[in-house]
Amino acid sequence: MSGTCSSEGAVTASRLEMTDISKRFGGLRAVDRVTISLRGGEVLALCGANGAGKSTLVRILAGVEHADSGQIALDGVPVVIDRPETAAHHGLSFVHQELNLVPKFTGLQNMAMGADRQSRLGLVATKRLRRLASEVQERLGYRIPLDVPVDRLSVSDRWMVSLGRCLMRSAKFVVLDEPTASFTDDEAEKLYKVIKELTDSGVGVLYISHRLEEVLEISDRVTVLRNGSVAGSYETAELTVSSLTKAIVGHEVEALAHRRGDASTGAPIRLSVRDLRRPPNVVGASFDLRRGEIVGVAGLVGSGRTELARLLIGADQAAGGEIILDGKPYAPRGPHDAIRAGVVLVPEERRSQALLLSESIERNLAVASHGSARHLMCRFRPRRSHRAAVDIVDELGIKTDGVTRPVLSLSGGNQQKVVVGNYLRTRPSVLVLDEPTVGVDVGSREEIYGIITGLAGAGASILVISSDFDELAVCDRVLVMRHGAIVAEVPSHRATKGHLTRLCFEAEQPAA
Amino acid sequence: MTVIVEDSIKEASASSSSTARVVWRLIGQYGTIAMLGLLIVTMTALEPSVFATSDNLVNVLNQSAIPAMIALGLTFPLVTGDFDLSIGNTASLSGVVACTLMRDVDMSIWMAISAAIMVGLVIGLVNGVVVTVLNVNSLVATLGVGTMAIGVNYKIAGGQPVGLSDSESFLEISLGTLLGIPYPVYIMIGFTAVLWLLLNRTVLGQSMQAVGGNPVAARLSGVRVERVRLVSFVICGAFAALTGVLLASRTGSAAVSGGDGYLLSAFAAAFFGSAVLRDGQFHIIGTLVGVITVAIGFNAIALTGMATYWQYLFQGLLLVLGVGVGSLARRRTAAT
Amino acid sequence: MTVIVEDSIKEASASSSSTARVVWRLIGQYGTIAMLGLLIVTMTALEPSVFATSDNLVNVLNQSAIPAMIALGLTFPLVTGDFDLSIGNTASLSGVVACTLMRDVDMSIWMAISAAIMVGLVIGLVNGVVVTVLNVNSLVATLGVGTMAIGVNYKIAGGQPVGLSDSESFLEISLGTLLGIPYPVYIMIGFTAVLWLLLNRTVLGQSMQAVGGNPVAARLSGVRVERVRLVSFVICGAFAALTGVLLASRTGSAAVSGGDGYLLSAFAAAFFGSAVLRDGQFHIIGTLVGVITVAIGFNAIALTGMATYWQYLFQGLLLVLGVGVGSLARRRTAAT
Amino acid sequence: GGGAETGAKASAGDSYSIGVVRFASSDPGSEGIVQSYLAAAKERGWETSSVDPQGAAGQAVGAISNFVQKQVDLIVVAVFPSDALAAGIKAAKSAGIPVVSIGGGTTDGVPVSLDFGRSNAKPLTEQMVKDTGGKGDLLVLGFTPGLPCVGREEELKAQLKETDIKVTRKEVPIPGQVEAGTEFAQAWLASHPKGSRPLAIWGCFDDPAIGAVSALRQTGRDDVLVYGINGTPAAVKAVKGGDMRATAYVDPATEGKRLADVTPDVIAAGTDAKERTLLPDVHAVTPANVDDFLKKFPGVLR
Ligand SMILES: Nc1ncnc2c1ncn2[C@@H]1O[C@H](COP(=O)(O)OP(=O)(O)OP(=O)(O)O)[C@@H](O)[C@H]1O
Ligand SMILES: Nc1ncnc2c1ncn2[C@@H]1O[C@H](COP(=O)(O)OP(=O)(O)OP(=O)(O)O)[C@@H](O)[C@H]1O
Ligand SMILES: [Mg+2]
Ligand SMILES: [Mg+2]
């Protein structure tokens, strides 16, 4: 996409500049004298490793965080953005990195929140809001469920609501902080279309993503942050995936290689799932998982992958079918049983499902090991726990200045590593990861997959659920789930993005 | 796309379990109201000539009016996710202030009532400021502010009830009737309607609900969370004060701790109400149903002549079962 | 790598703002304790010969013992994110049960105490079951169960105080001393140590804190959330019952509502304590500091002879400022 | 040692230090007496300090211990049953400090108590028996946990023994006493229509009786006689307006002065003095004498 609207001649195109912005958290310089500028009608991508300071910069722009120094100017006029409403007032609209919805509100209520200040008598202008919302739906080409409380929606539908909210406001600049992290390609495509429309109508887009192909596809320019400061700014045209990766990480990173699944083909079966069901989301799942094997699960949003994973650890109770673990029937009554049997799930939404946000990293790294303790009266040894936490932080390369810091202060990718570390401490034999690399940068993703393959090498069996089909290259086999059933199994070398996507959609009998 | 998937699956599993689910869902949604219905039916059967009369209905509604005011006000902080433990003390204080002004300064009734409600507004404001600016947990903040309100009350009245020498027109507020129905019933219905509109049809009300549901999300969407919470405390304080005034107008004098007893009953009503029709969300109609249920329960106890201990067992059970049945049913609905 | 970054920054910005930050941080962490210190210093200056004596210290600790038990117990549900409003009623009931058994059935002291504590365990269990199985919000559940406990209390004692004819050895629990220090002080210290260990050095305690932090995450990590919450209610019930027994042994009789007053004071102490050293997290030492602060405040009032309304203003202010100053300071620390 | 010392101080006569444990700021009956006692003590130049244990016996024990620490000469406790303050009274006794109770009864260590229960009910209950002619239906609104109420109900029981009055008893909760009075009265009225038998309502204190009056006004009944005790402003007003038949009034100033008058003796006599109960002057207020009453005690409605 080229910035047709941002030609020099366009006098009306507005301009957003952030100059010399700095922000410190305690001793840490999250953002250090960063300067970026964005014009109406163009897409500026912001790239950088986890913790590089992208979201902090965005939050400063949104009035959520206050910069220690620096200036923000709109069309050359300095503005003070001290509160989120001020940002909205200046025509800035955001999708923040974390889901921020009111669970009991419907999609429409969530989209309307804070958007309707202008209504008369303080009354809610329901009709107008609904009209606006359906316009947004049309633009997205996606039916966002408007009248269902969002806590009944799937995670990706929730993201659609979040995106819808951002688009409901007529904005001059739109900031999207990893909007596609939870999307499959299909939904991402819809978003790209919307971004195109936006830029065509003169809106400037600040776009943050760890999906580098996507960045190259949709942006006009790229600014790379490293350790809080600008490491370089580029015209997108002059970049490739590998040069961008190098700019972000500072050194070369190899692309994920397809695994040769021969290592584990002869290994004994560890987990055998037979016709597992819990209608309506899971209506018949059968598969085997061998020792030392990494198996991927591909599927569209709502195909029931998360439900399947929850059944495996007993977080929900199956309505039928059976599971055999190491030759013995396995029917966990809850995650406790599962963990004790060596089966763990790394859940898909880390903030609501996996972290004690306001607690320390150390404590977050100990929860699962408490959960797997035999007796509640077992002794807890804080020093030992501290040492274990320090070890995990080192091992997984979690970027922090101490394990006693609250996990809240970590960047998204590092939080994800804490989640993985928490579960790894129980030394699981079966590890189920639901979207393990959501919001994780290329370098860290590499590391997380390195950890996963390492575990598999040590004999653990791993099930990886991912909507990023490129990632599934690391798997020995990929299962495809559709409408609650496993409909296909694809060996590693054939698990290309295109093939998997086709299988996800195909209604006919696939070649198993 | 999602919609299509959902539909086809729903059809596929429209089997026996779906009947069960419908039943559970009905219980979940209407269970609490059904309990109220059961209570009314039982009482009608037991005491047909006394209970099921229009006189008694008016009586029950009249008894509900005062607790309704304080519980409706409390609903607002509860909606935004805060507690207010000062309401009982506010009610007591406002009654004392109103009566003292009328007695000692010879203030007119309406002026005195306005002043008393102003007291409630101020207490609400102080609560709100302590909670949002000092960032104190609302339970502690309101406990502390409430304690200070007791002190002020004591300073004013010296621990003695404040009686009015000429209280007829003040008493009229509680005792007067229109078309055979006492004024308090109208007051209750009127304010319920106003507060319902406020919570459900205004931006402020929606913002309150948003703040209660997810304050971070609300803030990021441009809701001025602090201001909204503050306003909810102010509303709550004002209604607590109104309760105190109505209470004083029932007896023509203000007892130093006359309103204290309404604290727990208001919480009970609001929580009972949160299980009415909705799943654990506080709302105006629910609170009103809660207040009326409690009033009917008490009326039933008074009419049947149960021993004292039954009164407590019954009230406790009503609360636990009323909320529990609905809650359990909703969980079942989700499970099947 | 991170460490280096940090150091270089510290050097670079070791300017005025960092001093401010240190001050704010200190206030945030020790502000609440500093308030307690200020109170002590003021009192020592005002009443040197009476307040700052070892006798009075022992007296204050002795008075803290009973409220400490109930507040320490309450800390557990608070840690897991639940409330328990039944503790006051449980304390009242357990005292009545203990005294009735001793008076009417001639049960031995220790048997009667065990039975009373069993009552607390059962109430805690019922609370826990209603909360975790019926899935009722803990505020409603415990309000309901507490109301039922009042009913049982009335059924047993008929509302009348239960006195003991031969109470010497029972009173000895409260009055006896060892090395000049009354038994209750030892009881308080002993149980504080046990509960501290339980919360900080066992898997149970850690699981409770995890449940309080994020129940969903705790559950997915294998913590048996329901069981942990249940246990916390049971502990709380048992300590409420212990409070009732100690109270009865201090007053020599059990009144139908003798323990009710401890409900709000326990909440006040626990919340005050949550601001001690930590940011809004409930913990054992904090709760103990809260209880002792309240006791010292009460002692100060008695010794200085403040007017009654000052007592209330002072107590309210202590609560609001004690929690508020620390809270505000922590916010400031985060901001600078 | 402590006892001897206090004794010495007491004989010195003039200046005493007195600790007052109130009951609750919400209990007007005892508050009035405590306040007039404090005023009288101040007038005589005694040093006083008072605390409000907010109705909690444990707190009251703590307050007594605090006064023992302060080494006061006398402790006055309001309303709490003296039997239910064991540890506190013991501590006071062993420090040689006598305790005076307002309405809590005498016991070892509490040599003097001002009666607040039985005597208050006497004249008014007599009035009630006279009014009904010793027959009819009576609704009793009682409160068992309160010692004064228990005494008053004992008096009622004693006087009803010889009569043909049928009693329905209801226990009122505190707080919520006024509303409970209304509710119970309303239900009782529904099953006791206007008829041949005399009807009466007797509250062991004024609040539930006032609640009953409210019920009468709401239902428009005028055939029921209502009796209360304490003489709160609302009750006296109701008597004046003819809504209530009688209430019993105890003048706090008189009783406070009565206590102040005996204080030097009590301190002098120490903890082991003979137990004695002071009887208050109780005025039954009826529509017939209410105007005279108000002339005599103009402060009641103020
Ligand atoms: N509230 C906070 N308190 C303390 N430190 C914080 C806070 N928010 C962010 N940080 C720190 O600031 C740095 C930048 O974080 P930021 O969230 O901006 O990174 P990011 O580039 O968005 O990373 P990611 O790609 O993982 O989202 C991180 O090291 C993080 O730990
Ligand atoms: N709590 C819930 N209540 C009702 N429906 C739900 C709930 N959670 C998920 N669903 C629905 O169940 C279906 C399956 O969801 P599930 O999360 O298992 O799928 P998924 O393949 O993991 O998809 P996603 O990528 O969105 O997580 C979806 O249609 C979703 O809308
Ligand atoms: Mg980020
Ligand atoms: Mg999923």
mmCIF file with all atom_site columns, all heavy atoms in Angstrom, chain D residues 245-260:
data_model
loop_
_atom_site.group_PDB
_atom_site.id
_atom_site.type_symbol
_atom_site.label_atom_id
_atom_site.label_alt_id
_atom_site.label_comp_id
_atom_site.label_asym_id
_atom_site.label_entity_id
_atom_site.label_seq_id
_atom_site.pdbx_PDB_ins_code
_atom_site.Cartn_x
_atom_site.Cartn_y
_atom_site.Cartn_z
_atom_site.occupancy
_atom_site.B_iso_or_equiv
_atom_site.pdbx_formal_charge
_atom_site.auth_seq_id
_atom_site.auth_comp_id
_atom_site.auth_asym_id
_atom_site.auth_atom_id
_atom_site.pdbx_PDB_model_num
ATOM 1   N N   . ARG D 1 245 ? -51.329 6.867  75.621 1.00 0.00 ? 245 ARG D N   1
ATOM 2   C CA  . ARG D 1 245 ? -52.013 6.978  76.911 1.00 0.00 ? 245 ARG D CA  1
ATOM 3   C C   . ARG D 1 245 ? -51.053 7.452  78.000 1.00 0.00 ? 245 ARG D C   1
ATOM 4   O O   . ARG D 1 245 ? -51.388 8.316  78.805 1.00 0.00 ? 245 ARG D O   1
ATOM 5   C CB  . ARG D 1 245 ? -52.599 5.613  77.277 1.00 0.00 ? 245 ARG D CB  1
ATOM 6   C CG  . ARG D 1 245 ? -53.279 5.565  78.623 1.00 0.00 ? 245 ARG D CG  1
ATOM 7   C CD  . ARG D 1 245 ? -54.566 6.420  78.649 1.00 0.00 ? 245 ARG D CD  1
ATOM 8   N NE  . ARG D 1 245 ? -55.139 6.440  79.984 1.00 0.00 ? 245 ARG D NE  1
ATOM 9   C CZ  . ARG D 1 245 ? -55.210 7.521  80.759 1.00 0.00 ? 245 ARG D CZ  1
ATOM 10  N NH1 . ARG D 1 245 ? -54.782 8.675  80.326 1.00 0.00 ? 245 ARG D NH1 1
ATOM 11  N NH2 . ARG D 1 245 ? -55.747 7.446  81.975 1.00 0.00 ? 245 ARG D NH2 1
ATOM 12  N N   . ALA D 1 246 ? -49.854 6.906  78.014 1.00 0.00 ? 246 ALA D N   1
ATOM 13  C CA  . ALA D 1 246 ? -48.923 7.310  79.073 1.00 0.00 ? 246 ALA D CA  1
ATOM 14  C C   . ALA D 1 246 ? -47.499 6.912  78.743 1.00 0.00 ? 246 ALA D C   1
ATOM 15  O O   . ALA D 1 246 ? -47.257 5.965  77.991 1.00 0.00 ? 246 ALA D O   1
ATOM 16  C CB  . ALA D 1 246 ? -49.317 6.679  80.403 1.00 0.00 ? 246 ALA D CB  1
ATOM 17  N N   . THR D 1 247 ? -46.580 7.693  79.291 1.00 0.00 ? 247 THR D N   1
ATOM 18  C CA  . THR D 1 247 ? -45.194 7.286  79.255 1.00 0.00 ? 247 THR D CA  1
ATOM 19  C C   . THR D 1 247 ? -44.603 7.582  80.633 1.00 0.00 ? 247 THR D C   1
ATOM 20  O O   . THR D 1 247 ? -45.206 8.312  81.428 1.00 0.00 ? 247 THR D O   1
ATOM 21  C CB  . THR D 1 247 ? -44.402 8.007  78.148 1.00 0.00 ? 247 THR D CB  1
ATOM 22  O OG1 . THR D 1 247 ? -43.063 7.523  78.131 1.00 0.00 ? 247 THR D OG1 1
ATOM 23  C CG2 . THR D 1 247 ? -44.358 9.515  78.380 1.00 0.00 ? 247 THR D CG2 1
ATOM 24  N N   . ALA D 1 248 ? -43.478 6.968  80.934 1.00 0.00 ? 248 ALA D N   1
ATOM 25  C CA  . ALA D 1 248 ? -42.864 7.177  82.248 1.00 0.00 ? 248 ALA D CA  1
ATOM 26  C C   . ALA D 1 248 ? -41.572 7.959  82.059 1.00 0.00 ? 248 ALA D C   1
ATOM 27  O O   . ALA D 1 248 ? -40.740 7.588  81.251 1.00 0.00 ? 248 ALA D O   1
ATOM 28  C CB  . ALA D 1 248 ? -42.574 5.841  82.911 1.00 0.00 ? 248 ALA D CB  1
ATOM 29  N N   . TYR D 1 249 ? -41.447 9.022  82.822 1.00 0.00 ? 249 TYR D N   1
ATOM 30  C CA  . TYR D 1 249 ? -40.302 9.903  82.638 1.00 0.00 ? 249 TYR D CA  1
ATOM 31  C C   . TYR D 1 249 ? -39.422 9.913  83.877 1.00 0.00 ? 249 TYR D C   1
ATOM 32  O O   . TYR D 1 249 ? -39.898 9.964  84.996 1.00 0.00 ? 249 TYR D O   1
ATOM 33  C CB  . TYR D 1 249 ? -40.788 11.310 82.331 1.00 0.00 ? 249 TYR D CB  1
ATOM 34  C CG  . TYR D 1 249 ? -39.679 12.317 82.131 1.00 0.00 ? 249 TYR D CG  1
ATOM 35  C CD1 . TYR D 1 249 ? -38.913 12.317 80.972 1.00 0.00 ? 249 TYR D CD1 1
ATOM 36  C CD2 . TYR D 1 249 ? -39.403 13.266 83.120 1.00 0.00 ? 249 TYR D CD2 1
ATOM 37  C CE1 . TYR D 1 249 ? -37.893 13.236 80.799 1.00 0.00 ? 249 TYR D CE1 1
ATOM 38  C CE2 . TYR D 1 249 ? -38.388 14.193 82.958 1.00 0.00 ? 249 TYR D CE2 1
ATOM 39  C CZ  . TYR D 1 249 ? -37.639 14.174 81.785 1.00 0.00 ? 249 TYR D CZ  1
ATOM 40  O OH  . TYR D 1 249 ? -36.633 15.083 81.611 1.00 0.00 ? 249 TYR D OH  1
ATOM 41  N N   . VAL D 1 250 ? -38.128 9.832  83.620 1.00 0.00 ? 250 VAL D N   1
ATOM 42  C CA  . VAL D 1 250 ? -37.167 9.980  84.706 1.00 0.00 ? 250 VAL D CA  1
ATOM 43  C C   . VAL D 1 250 ? -36.319 11.191 84.352 1.00 0.00 ? 250 VAL D C   1
ATOM 44  O O   . VAL D 1 250 ? -35.779 11.264 83.254 1.00 0.00 ? 250 VAL D O   1
ATOM 45  C CB  . VAL D 1 250 ? -36.294 8.721  84.837 1.00 0.00 ? 250 VAL D CB  1
ATOM 46  C CG1 . VAL D 1 250 ? -35.106 8.986  85.731 1.00 0.00 ? 250 VAL D CG1 1
ATOM 47  C CG2 . VAL D 1 250 ? -37.119 7.569  85.388 1.00 0.00 ? 250 VAL D CG2 1
ATOM 48  N N   . ASP D 1 251 ? -36.232 12.138 85.270 1.00 0.00 ? 251 ASP D N   1
ATOM 49  C CA  . ASP D 1 251 ? -35.497 13.355 84.947 1.00 0.00 ? 251 ASP D CA  1
ATOM 50  C C   . ASP D 1 251 ? -34.006 13.136 85.084 1.00 0.00 ? 251 ASP D C   1
ATOM 51  O O   . ASP D 1 251 ? -33.514 12.851 86.184 1.00 0.00 ? 251 ASP D O   1
ATOM 52  C CB  . ASP D 1 251 ? -35.943 14.474 85.881 1.00 0.00 ? 251 ASP D CB  1
ATOM 53  C CG  . ASP D 1 251 ? -35.187 15.759 85.587 1.00 0.00 ? 251 ASP D CG  1
ATOM 54  O OD1 . ASP D 1 251 ? -34.932 16.016 84.392 1.00 0.00 ? 251 ASP D OD1 1
ATOM 55  O OD2 . ASP D 1 251 ? -34.825 16.462 86.546 1.00 0.00 ? 251 ASP D OD2 1
ATOM 56  N N   . PRO D 1 252 ? -33.275 13.240 83.983 1.00 0.00 ? 252 PRO D N   1
ATOM 57  C CA  . PRO D 1 252 ? -31.848 12.953 84.053 1.00 0.00 ? 252 PRO D CA  1
ATOM 58  C C   . PRO D 1 252 ? -31.118 13.882 85.011 1.00 0.00 ? 252 PRO D C   1
ATOM 59  O O   . PRO D 1 252 ? -30.193 13.452 85.710 1.00 0.00 ? 252 PRO D O   1
ATOM 60  C CB  . PRO D 1 252 ? -31.353 13.154 82.617 1.00 0.00 ? 252 PRO D CB  1
ATOM 61  C CG  . PRO D 1 252 ? -32.464 13.786 81.875 1.00 0.00 ? 252 PRO D CG  1
ATOM 62  C CD  . PRO D 1 252 ? -33.718 13.554 82.639 1.00 0.00 ? 252 PRO D CD  1
ATOM 63  N N   . ALA D 1 253 ? -31.545 15.136 85.089 1.00 0.00 ? 253 ALA D N   1
ATOM 64  C CA  . ALA D 1 253 ? -30.845 16.077 85.968 1.00 0.00 ? 253 ALA D CA  1
ATOM 65  C C   . ALA D 1 253 ? -30.947 15.626 87.424 1.00 0.00 ? 253 ALA D C   1
ATOM 66  O O   . ALA D 1 253 ? -29.944 15.595 88.153 1.00 0.00 ? 253 ALA D O   1
ATOM 67  C CB  . ALA D 1 253 ? -31.444 17.472 85.793 1.00 0.00 ? 253 ALA D CB  1
ATOM 68  N N   . THR D 1 254 ? -32.152 15.246 87.825 1.00 0.00 ? 254 THR D N   1
ATOM 69  C CA  . THR D 1 254 ? -32.339 14.784 89.200 1.00 0.00 ? 254 THR D CA  1
ATOM 70  C C   . THR D 1 254 ? -31.468 13.571 89.491 1.00 0.00 ? 254 THR D C   1
ATOM 71  O O   . THR D 1 254 ? -30.793 13.496 90.533 1.00 0.00 ? 254 THR D O   1
ATOM 72  C CB  . THR D 1 254 ? -33.818 14.382 89.412 1.00 0.00 ? 254 THR D CB  1
ATOM 73  O OG1 . THR D 1 254 ? -34.634 15.383 88.846 1.00 0.00 ? 254 THR D OG1 1
ATOM 74  C CG2 . THR D 1 254 ? -34.117 14.199 90.881 1.00 0.00 ? 254 THR D CG2 1
ATOM 75  N N   . GLU D 1 255 ? -31.511 12.611 88.548 1.00 0.00 ? 255 GLU D N   1
ATOM 76  C CA  . GLU D 1 255 ? -30.799 11.356 88.805 1.00 0.00 ? 255 GLU D CA  1
ATOM 77  C C   . GLU D 1 255 ? -29.288 11.561 88.757 1.00 0.00 ? 255 GLU D C   1
ATOM 78  O O   . GLU D 1 255 ? -28.537 10.960 89.522 1.00 0.00 ? 255 GLU D O   1
ATOM 79  C CB  . GLU D 1 255 ? -31.228 10.287 87.806 1.00 0.00 ? 255 GLU D CB  1
ATOM 80  C CG  . GLU D 1 255 ? -32.724 10.043 87.742 1.00 0.00 ? 255 GLU D CG  1
ATOM 81  C CD  . GLU D 1 255 ? -33.363 9.876  89.106 1.00 0.00 ? 255 GLU D CD  1
ATOM 82  O OE1 . GLU D 1 255 ? -32.726 9.253  89.986 1.00 0.00 ? 255 GLU D OE1 1
ATOM 83  O OE2 . GLU D 1 255 ? -34.492 10.382 89.319 1.00 0.00 ? 255 GLU D OE2 1
ATOM 84  N N   . GLY D 1 256 ? -28.840 12.424 87.832 1.00 0.00 ? 256 GLY D N   1
ATOM 85  C CA  . GLY D 1 256 ? -27.417 12.717 87.765 1.00 0.00 ? 256 GLY D CA  1
ATOM 86  C C   . GLY D 1 256 ? -26.951 13.341 89.062 1.00 0.00 ? 256 GLY D C   1
ATOM 87  O O   . GLY D 1 256 ? -25.886 13.014 89.603 1.00 0.00 ? 256 GLY D O   1
ATOM 88  N N   . LYS D 1 257 ? -27.783 14.237 89.593 1.00 0.00 ? 257 LYS D N   1
ATOM 89  C CA  . LYS D 1 257 ? -27.428 14.897 90.848 1.00 0.00 ? 257 LYS D CA  1
ATOM 90  C C   . LYS D 1 257 ? -27.466 13.882 91.977 1.00 0.00 ? 257 LYS D C   1
ATOM 91  O O   . LYS D 1 257 ? -26.591 13.883 92.867 1.00 0.00 ? 257 LYS D O   1
ATOM 92  C CB  . LYS D 1 257 ? -28.420 16.027 91.116 1.00 0.00 ? 257 LYS D CB  1
ATOM 93  C CG  . LYS D 1 257 ? -27.984 16.942 92.218 1.00 0.00 ? 257 LYS D CG  1
ATOM 94  C CD  . LYS D 1 257 ? -28.843 18.207 92.259 1.00 0.00 ? 257 LYS D CD  1
ATOM 95  C CE  . LYS D 1 257 ? -28.724 18.855 93.634 1.00 0.00 ? 257 LYS D CE  1
ATOM 96  N NZ  . LYS D 1 257 ? -29.257 18.041 94.742 1.00 0.00 ? 257 LYS D NZ  1
ATOM 97  N N   . ARG D 1 258 ? -28.423 12.981 91.937 1.00 0.00 ? 258 ARG D N   1
ATOM 98  C CA  . ARG D 1 258 ? -28.521 11.954 92.972 1.00 0.00 ? 258 ARG D CA  1
ATOM 99  C C   . ARG D 1 258 ? -27.212 11.161 93.022 1.00 0.00 ? 258 ARG D C   1
ATOM 100 O O   . ARG D 1 258 ? -26.654 10.914 94.093 1.00 0.00 ? 258 ARG D O   1
ATOM 101 C CB  . ARG D 1 258 ? -29.701 11.023 92.667 1.00 0.00 ? 258 ARG D CB  1
ATOM 102 C CG  . ARG D 1 258 ? -30.035 10.042 93.790 1.00 0.00 ? 258 ARG D CG  1
ATOM 103 C CD  . ARG D 1 258 ? -30.981 8.934  93.319 1.00 0.00 ? 258 ARG D CD  1
ATOM 104 N NE  . ARG D 1 258 ? -32.210 9.401  92.680 1.00 0.00 ? 258 ARG D NE  1
ATOM 105 C CZ  . ARG D 1 258 ? -33.287 9.851  93.353 1.00 0.00 ? 258 ARG D CZ  1
ATOM 106 N NH1 . ARG D 1 258 ? -33.280 9.873  94.662 1.00 0.00 ? 258 ARG D NH1 1
ATOM 107 N NH2 . ARG D 1 258 ? -34.348 10.254 92.713 1.00 0.00 ? 258 ARG D NH2 1
ATOM 108 N N   . LEU D 1 259 ? -26.731 10.800 91.841 1.00 0.00 ? 259 LEU D N   1
ATOM 109 C CA  . LEU D 1 259 ? -25.482 10.031 91.794 1.00 0.00 ? 259 LEU D CA  1
ATOM 110 C C   . LEU D 1 259 ? -24.312 10.865 92.313 1.00 0.00 ? 259 LEU D C   1
ATOM 111 O O   . LEU D 1 259 ? -23.454 10.380 93.034 1.00 0.00 ? 259 LEU D O   1
ATOM 112 C CB  . LEU D 1 259 ? -25.192 9.578  90.362 1.00 0.00 ? 259 LEU D CB  1
ATOM 113 C CG  . LEU D 1 259 ? -25.969 8.366  89.856 1.00 0.00 ? 259 LEU D CG  1
ATOM 114 C CD1 . LEU D 1 259 ? -25.593 8.065  88.414 1.00 0.00 ? 259 LEU D CD1 1
ATOM 115 C CD2 . LEU D 1 259 ? -25.695 7.153  90.733 1.00 0.00 ? 259 LEU D CD2 1
ATOM 116 N N   . ALA D 1 260 ? -24.292 12.130 91.907 1.00 0.00 ? 260 ALA D N   1
ATOM 117 C CA  . ALA D 1 260 ? -23.197 12.994 92.336 1.00 0.00 ? 260 ALA D CA  1
ATOM 118 C C   . ALA D 1 260 ? -23.224 13.142 93.864 1.00 0.00 ? 260 ALA D C   1
ATOM 119 O O   . ALA D 1 260 ? -22.167 13.164 94.521 1.00 0.00 ? 260 ALA D O   1
ATOM 120 C CB  . ALA D 1 260 ? -23.305 14.354 91.664 1.00 0.00 ? 260 ALA D CB  1
#
